[in-house]
């Protein structure tokens, strides 16, 4: 690792576009002071944020570490910490961070940090990585021993993280990974958060318009009134599950969101299952948000448009609060089916843009191009 002649350690946060860049920019405001306070000895730190797609076309940690090393050599940086929201794998494990004390490099994958308090966890991970790389052991001629973990605080804060296997020919000399069911769940939650499922609502404007139109018409339909009054709570739940599942399935099939790996290795199959699980959960959360919104809109529309005498003469049931709720609930299921049909008017690119982060869109686009070749 190079040592700055002015006594200031220059730290570059090399971040993929979108969420990683936003996270890096927020932490860069407080990192210099926190690093100086933790390191002691009167050291000073200068933090720069560089946003560029350094993971484009590659998911292999050794390849990415070489890219980071080449990028760092072209600048006057002492330490480079790269952040990506893509899940990375190494030797069958989900990678959290790769460290190279010899070259002053770190590669941090955000999904294994989970979906809650991501900003805080990412900042702590970057702090521990920088302090480890800037420490006296990072400047030794022989580098840190591979068998001794250097980031004890990092592991305890981000359990179930543990040291992972590092190949003899790799640039990295220390690696942390997650494994097991807890690790899988943590990566899955992190991937779903990176996809930002709440963006699905405004992203599918045509489907939402079709659902709202269907709900408006269904609310004033006397047949729907009778059906809603005849359905019990379990049947309404079944209608909800069925309509949401139909919407999710239609989006996956219509936009070709299901990931199929051309490789036959066990790691490739695990990676495909993880990507598909994140797709289903992302779409599920987004559709449920839409469903809740439809209930509210239908309820307001029903309160405005329905006449209690007409409703009672048709259904032979007085129009009370429970009837408003039941009708709005059932109409939301009908409207969701209409929204599924309306989603066919959306382009595949629009659906992918609503369902995935920018890096995940690029990754899937490159996979499709490879399959086409």
């Amino acid at each position: 690792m190079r040592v700055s002649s002015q006594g200031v350690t220059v730290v570059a946060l090399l971040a993929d576009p979108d969420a990683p860049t936003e996270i890096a920019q927020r932490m860069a405001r407080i990192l210099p002071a926190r690093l100086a306070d933790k390191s002691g000895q009167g050291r000073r730190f200068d933090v720069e944020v560089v946003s560029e797609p350094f993971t484009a076309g590659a998911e292999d940690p050794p390849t990415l570490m070489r890219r980071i090393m080449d990028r760092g050599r072209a600048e006057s940086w002492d330490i480079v910490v790269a952040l990506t929201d893509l899940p990375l794998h190494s030797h069958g494990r989900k990678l959290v961070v790769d460290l190279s004390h010899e070259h002053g490099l770190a590669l941090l994958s955000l999904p294994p940090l989970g979906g809650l308090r991501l900003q805080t966890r990412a900042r702590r991970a970057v702090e521990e990585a920088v302090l480890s790389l800037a420490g006296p052991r990072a400047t030794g001629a022989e580098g840190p021993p591979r068998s001794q973990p250097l980031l004890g605080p990092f592991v305890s804060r981000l359990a179930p993280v543990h040291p992972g296997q590092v190949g003899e020919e790799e640039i990295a000399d220390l690696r942390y990974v997650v494994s097991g069911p807890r690790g899988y769940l943590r990566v899955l939650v992190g991937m779903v958060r990176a996809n930002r499922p709440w963006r699905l609502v405004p992203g599918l404007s045509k489907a939402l318009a079709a659902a709202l139109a269907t709900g408006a018409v269904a609310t004033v339909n006397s047949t729907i009134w009778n059906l809603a009054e005849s359905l019990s709570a379990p049947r309404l739940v079944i209608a909800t599950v069925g309509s949401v599942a139909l919407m999710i399935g239609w989006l996956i099939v219509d936009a070709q969101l299901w990931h199929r790996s051309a490789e036959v290795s066990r790691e490739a199959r695990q990676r495909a299952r993880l990507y598909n699980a994140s797709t289903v959960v992302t779409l599920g959360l987004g559709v449920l948000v839409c469903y809740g919104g439809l209930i509210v809109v239908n309820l307001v529309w029903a309160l405005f448009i329905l006449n209690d005498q007409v409703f009672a003469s048709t259904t032979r049931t007085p129009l009370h609060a429970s009837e408003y709720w039941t009708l709005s609930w059932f109409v939301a299921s009908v409207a969701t089916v209409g929204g599924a049909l309306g989603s066919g008017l959306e382009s595949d690119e629009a659906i992918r843009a609503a369902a995935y982060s920018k890096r995940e869109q690029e990754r899937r686009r490159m996979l499709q191009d490879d399959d086409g070749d």
Side-chain angles (χ1 to χ4, degrees):
M1 183 190 76
R2 296 187 300 272
V3 179
S4 196
S5 59
Q6 292 97 2
V8 178
T9 302
V10 180
V11 179
L13 300 181
L14 182 63
D16 266 335
D18 206 17
T21 295
E22 296 173 8
I23 291 173
Q25 289 173 340
R26 284 194 292 267
M27 73 170 66
R29 303 188 189 107
I30 60 174
L31 263 183
R34 291 183 62 89
L35 290 172
D37 181 61
K38 288 189 173 185
S39 65
Q41 302 175 352
R43 299 190 66 169
R44 291 185 299 158
F45 292 84
D46 184 20
V47 178
E48 302 177 8
V49 177
V50 179
S51 178
E52 60 183 56
F54 70 92
T55 58
E59 297 181 52
D60 180 42
T63 300
L64 296 178
M65 287 293 282
R66 284 192 292 271
R67 288 184 180 180
I68 299 167
M69 182 177 66
D70 294 340
R71 185 68 176 85
R73 284 175 175 172
E75 305 288 344
S76 58
W77 299 330
D78 299 318
I79 295 174
V80 183
V81 180
L83 293 82
T84 180
D85 56 0
L86 285 181
L88 304 176
H89 298 76
S90 175
H91 302 284
R93 310 288 187 182
K94 286 82 176 175
L95 176 73
V96 180
V97 64
D98 262 357
L99 295 169
S100 173
H101 292 79
E102 178 182 357
H103 301 94
L105 308 175
L107 170 62
L108 177 65
S109 177
L110 297 176
L113 302 184
L116 300 177
R117 301 175 64 242
L118 179 60
Q119 182 69 43
T120 300
R121 288 175 173 173
R123 175 179 53 76
R124 288 176 177 174
V126 170
E127 287 175 2
E128 298 293 348
V130 171
L131 292 174
S132 176
L133 295 173
R137 300 185 70 175
T139 60
E142 298 180 357
R146 294 174 182 264
S147 60
Q148 298 182 12
L150 298 180
L151 297 182
F154 173 73
V155 173
S156 63
R157 288 171 180 168
L158 301 177
V161 179
H162 55 84
Q165 177 184 353
V166 181
E168 292 293 333
E169 302 300 323
E170 295 189 42
I171 295 175
D173 50 45
L174 188 60
R175 169 172 293 151
Y176 286 97
V177 298
V178 294
S179 59
R182 289 179 59 201
Y184 181 92
L185 180 61
R186 191 162 212 159
V187 174
L188 177 61
V189 173
M191 292 175 66
V192 172
R193 190 191 189 283
N195 288 335
R196 301 178 180 183
W198 53 87
R199 298 189 305 185
L200 195 69
V201 179
L204 299 179
S205 57
K206 294 184 177 66
L208 188 59
L212 291 173
T214 303
V217 173
T219 302
V220 297
N221 187 287
S222 60
T223 303
I224 297 295
W225 298 349
N226 287 311
L227 284 174
E229 287 303 308
S230 65
L231 292 177
S232 60
R235 289 190 174 185
L236 288 171
V237 172
I238 292 174
T240 299
V241 173
S243 60
V244 169
L246 178 62
M247 182 70 162
I248 295 172
W250 180 259
L251 289 173
I252 291 175
V253 172
D254 185 54
Q256 300 178 354
L257 302 182
W258 198 253
H259 177 79
R260 291 182 175 85
S261 176
E263 303 177 27
V264 295
S265 63
R266 179 172 174 268
E267 184 172 328
R269 292 197 301 270
Q270 290 179 342
R271 189 161 54 240
R273 285 196 293 267
L274 186 63
Y275 285 131
N276 289 329
S278 71
T279 296
V280 172
V281 175
T282 299
L283 293 178
L285 291 175
V287 172
L288 285 175
V289 171
C290 292
Y291 191 92
L294 287 172
I295 290 180
V296 174
V297 171
N298 293 333
L299 181 59
V300 172
W301 175 240
L303 289 171
F304 174 75
I305 201 69
L306 292 186
N307 181 281
D308 54 350
Q309 293 181 349
V310 175
F311 185 90
S313 65
T314 302
T315 63
R316 298 181 181 179
T317 303
L319 185 58
H320 298 310
S322 60
E323 280 68 36
Y324 277 113
W325 166 252
T326 301
L327 178 62
S328 301
W329 185 1
F330 179 60
V331 168
S333 298
V334 176
T336 300
V337 175
L341 298 176
S343 67
L345 301 175
E346 304 277 5
S347 66
D348 292 352
E349 288 300 320
I351 295 176
R352 293 191 186 99
Y356 296 130
S357 66
K358 289 183 179 179
R359 298 301 303 130
E360 181 63 9
Q361 293 175 54
E362 293 175 6
R363 188 193 70 81
R364 289 176 178 261
R365 191 180 302 114
M366 294 186 66
L367 285 175
Q368 286 186 340
D369 292 341
D370 292 341
D371 293 341
D373 296 338

